[in-house]
Amino acid sequence: NLLGTQYGSYEMAVELDIYHRFFPVIEVGIGTAQYTPLHNNYTYKCAPSLYGRVGMNYNFFFNNGSERFVGVGLRYALSSFRYNWENITLNDSYWNTTVVTSTPQESALAHWGEVAVVLRVQIYKNFFMGWSGRYRLLVGCDSSQYGEPYFIPGFGPKQSTFGFTYTIGYNIPFKKEEKEIVEVDHIMGKIQDMPQF
């Protein structure tokens, strides 16, 4: 939206790092659109609507000792949303009149699959930055008597099969607790080795 697009999706994701190799992931977001095509007489509007994805990422750099992530992932996604067309301008040249109308808001359900290429790097301590390119395959999407939806939250424009996601993330470190346990075990070992009187 900051770059001038009239639609977009914003999401949060949670991943679980399993041996820095497998990353089960859940993504939840909100998508919205208010799109007026150039030289057309209507505005497509999609109310802010929720979507979700579940899947798995695989890291090819799991055994090189770095925090870099270069991998691929699979997703299954589902979106429930509401949409309509507004500011439909109809000109009647015979009567020389103009009518502006809108369609009723419709509800729809869409689901699709994704293949993602993921790249992430550590920028400071546990903070990460990265991107993912996604190829999307629409499995099903509802339509109405007024037409098919132009934009699907989480998917993007319906006719587009490729998407791009920019990510800023934070890695919650759980290894610190493991180190504390090891240090306590080490101290207890020393106490047990002390001579008893």
Side-chain angles (χ1 to χ4, degrees), residues 38-168:
L38 191 63
H39 306 304
N40 277 314
N41 62 336
Y42 64 88
T43 296
Y44 174 84
K45 191 170 183 180
C46 176
S49 304
L50 288 172
Y51 65 89
R53 304 188 197 97
V54 293
M56 174 84 73
N57 289 332
Y58 179 85
N59 182 18
F60 292 114
F61 281 68
F62 67 92
N63 61 352
N64 71 346
S66 74
E67 293 298 326
R68 287 181 296 170
F69 184 105
V70 178
V72 296
L74 295 175
R75 305 280 192 280
Y76 173 75
L78 184 69
S79 177
S80 177
F81 60 102
R82 294 171 288 123
Y83 69 99
N84 69 322
W85 288 267
E86 296 182 350
N87 302 321
I88 304 170
T89 305
L90 304 174
N91 296 312
D92 189 332
S93 58
Y94 181 81
W95 296 103
N96 196 25
T97 58
T98 299
V99 176
V100 178
T101 186
S102 300
T103 65
Q105 196 171 67
E106 301 287 338
S107 297
L109 184 69
H111 60 120
W112 66 94
E114 294 183 358
V115 178
V117 177
V118 185
L119 171 65
R120 281 199 301 266
V121 293
Q122 184 172 266
I123 54 175
Y124 178 74
K125 292 187 178 178
N126 290 314
F127 288 93
F128 289 80
M129 181 175 64
W131 59 265
S132 63
R134 302 172 184 238
Y135 174 76
R136 302 170 297 211
L137 180 63
L138 189 63
V139 177
C141 180
D142 297 335
S143 61
S144 73
Q145 59 179 325
Y146 303 102
E148 297 181 350
Y150 167 77
F151 171 86
I152 301 171
F155 186 94
K158 188 177 179 183
Q159 70 275 13
S160 175
T161 56
F162 290 95
F164 178 84
T165 302
Y166 175 75
T167 304
I168 295 176

Side-chain angles (χ1 to χ4, degrees), residues 122 125-128 170-179:
Q122 184 172 266
K125 292 187 178 178
N126 290 314
F127 288 93
F128 289 80
Y170 180 74
N171 180 33
I172 301 173
F174 289 105
K175 293 181 180 179
K176 186 176 180 181
E177 295 179 2
E178 295 175 1
K179 290 179 181 178

